Amino acid sequence: MQTMKLQGQRSAFEIIAFQTFGFAYLHNNYSYDDLTEQYLNRGYMGHQYAQPIYGYPAAAKFYFRKDVSSLSDQEIASLILISRAPALYTKPQNAQRLAEESTQLLEAAKN
């Protein structure tokens, strides 16, 4: 059975091939430290109205009104969770969930 692809859709093979070759390119051209630094400084961390927030330093200033170097372990854990799902964790109604899950993350990291 043939299925018609809509314009802009990619097959699973195309997506996997793109990811594989993209990973190979990054691996061959950038160090792990370079990639980590770029992620920490440029990763999407939510938005304030129509203005996106990129990187842990900007997120620390926005969410906690602190410099990254002065964050507590709990606040760092919160930023880690926010980086994984900004749309979920930055909603005011999910503040309690963020606090609980950041505590769980810290407990898991200790073990």
Side-chain angles (χ1 to χ4, degrees):
M1 171 183 238
Q2 287 186 336
T3 58
M4 184 175 16
K5 282 198 308 186
L6 298 175
Q7 185 177 3
Q9 282 187 325
R10 292 189 171 141
S11 69
F13 174 78
E14 289 171 319
I15 292 168
I16 292 169
F18 178 78
Q19 290 173 343
T20 301
F21 290 115
F23 174 78
Y25 174 81
L26 291 174
H27 180 71
N28 290 331
N29 292 293
Y30 298 96
S31 72
Y32 177 79
D33 290 341
D34 290 338
L35 294 173
T36 302
E37 181 180 353
Q38 290 301 314
Y39 172 75
L40 292 174
N41 288 321
R42 295 182 181 201
Y44 178 69
M45 301 290 287
H47 61 277
Q48 175 186 17
Y49 306 106
Q51 184 66 33
I53 300 166
Y54 292 107
Y56 279 72
K61 292 237 188 265
F62 177 72
Y63 294 115
F64 303 110
R65 306 209 188 313
K66 295 181 180 179
D67 190 64
V68 154
S69 61
S70 61
L71 292 176
S72 69
D73 289 345
Q74 185 80 28
E75 291 165 337
I76 292 169
S78 294
L79 288 182
I80 290 168
L81 291 171
I82 289 171
S83 72
R84 295 184 68 211
L88 172 66
Y89 290 114
T90 58
K91 293 180 181 176
Q93 64 265 30
N94 291 335
Q96 182 63 34
R97 179 178 181 174
L98 177 61
E100 291 169 0
E101 291 186 18
S102 61
T103 300
Q104 291 173 359
L105 179 62
L106 286 174
E107 290 172 2
K110 291 177 184 175
N111 294 331

